[in-house]
Each structure stands twice: as structure tokens, then as C-alpha cells.
Amino acid sequence: MIIQYGDSMPKGPVHQEIEKRLQAELSPISLNVINDSASHHGHAGDDGSGESHFTVEIECAEFVGQSRLNRQRMVNKALGDLMREKVHAMAIKARAPGEHP
């Protein structure tokens, strides 16, 4: 698996938990979790933690034959309570192997 780190912010506990849960549940081929919270500072949903807004780019064999909506549901299910309790917003870019971003 390839894990890329596209942001310059240090990884906090929510960021690390997102990576951990996605790796455990979906075994991605590639995973890039980006903390977008700094660009949302002071906006609705910014809880001051610096870990409220994320982008997840994930490539996973389990996405083969799944619709875009089902892929997002799979990611949300893997993240469980994080989506209800810790993360205000998440952009999900989910693709199957061989699909172009």
C-alpha cells in the first residue's frame, strides 16, 4: 500500500484515526488523507481543533463495480462515529484500480 501525505500540517489524532480505520476496513492500494481544516478556520463547523475538514483520496479493489455513492458509503461506514462526532466535512475521491483520478 502507498500512503501519501499531501498536507504540511502535522497529523493529529483524528487524521491518524481516519488513516487507521480506512487501512483496516478497506485495505487500500493507495490512500491520501489531507487535512483541509486550515482553509476553513472560522467557518461553520470549525470546532477549533484544527481537524474538522478533510479530503480522502483512496484507491481500493473493493470499489470495483461499485457506484460512486456506494464507494462513499463504504468510506463513511469504515469511519463510523468519526463522521458523526469529530469530522464536520469530508470530500471523498474514491476509485477502483486502473481508474483515472
Side-chain angles (χ1 to χ4, degrees):
M1 173 187 26
I2 300 169
I3 300 176
Q4 303 168 331
Y5 303 104
D7 55 346
S8 59
M9 295 180 67
K11 294 192 307 179
V14 175
H15 189 141
Q16 292 175 30
E17 188 65 21
I18 290 169
E19 291 176 344
K20 178 181 166 186
R21 290 185 187 194
L22 291 175
Q23 291 169 16
E25 294 295 320
L26 297 173
S27 301
I29 296 165
S30 67
L31 175 62
N32 187 18
V33 177
I34 303 163
N35 185 340
D36 298 320
S37 301
S39 62
H40 296 277
H41 180 70
H43 298 176
D46 175 24
D47 62 5
S49 70
E51 291 194 283
S52 58
H53 294 72
F54 291 90
T55 296
V56 169
E57 298 170 343
I58 183 169
E59 181 180 353
C60 177
E62 290 192 38
F63 295 154
V64 173
Q66 298 293 324
S67 69
R68 182 174 156 235
L69 179 59
N70 282 341
R71 292 173 185 188
Q72 292 181 349
R73 286 178 175 156
M74 292 168 74
V75 169
N76 286 330
K77 182 179 178 188
L79 297 176
D81 63 330
L82 283 179
M83 296 304 294
R84 291 184 302 277
E85 299 173 8
K86 302 281 185 181
V87 177
H88 175 71
M90 180 175 292
I92 300 171
K93 299 174 183 178
R95 66 182 190 279
E99 293 179 348
H100 296 284

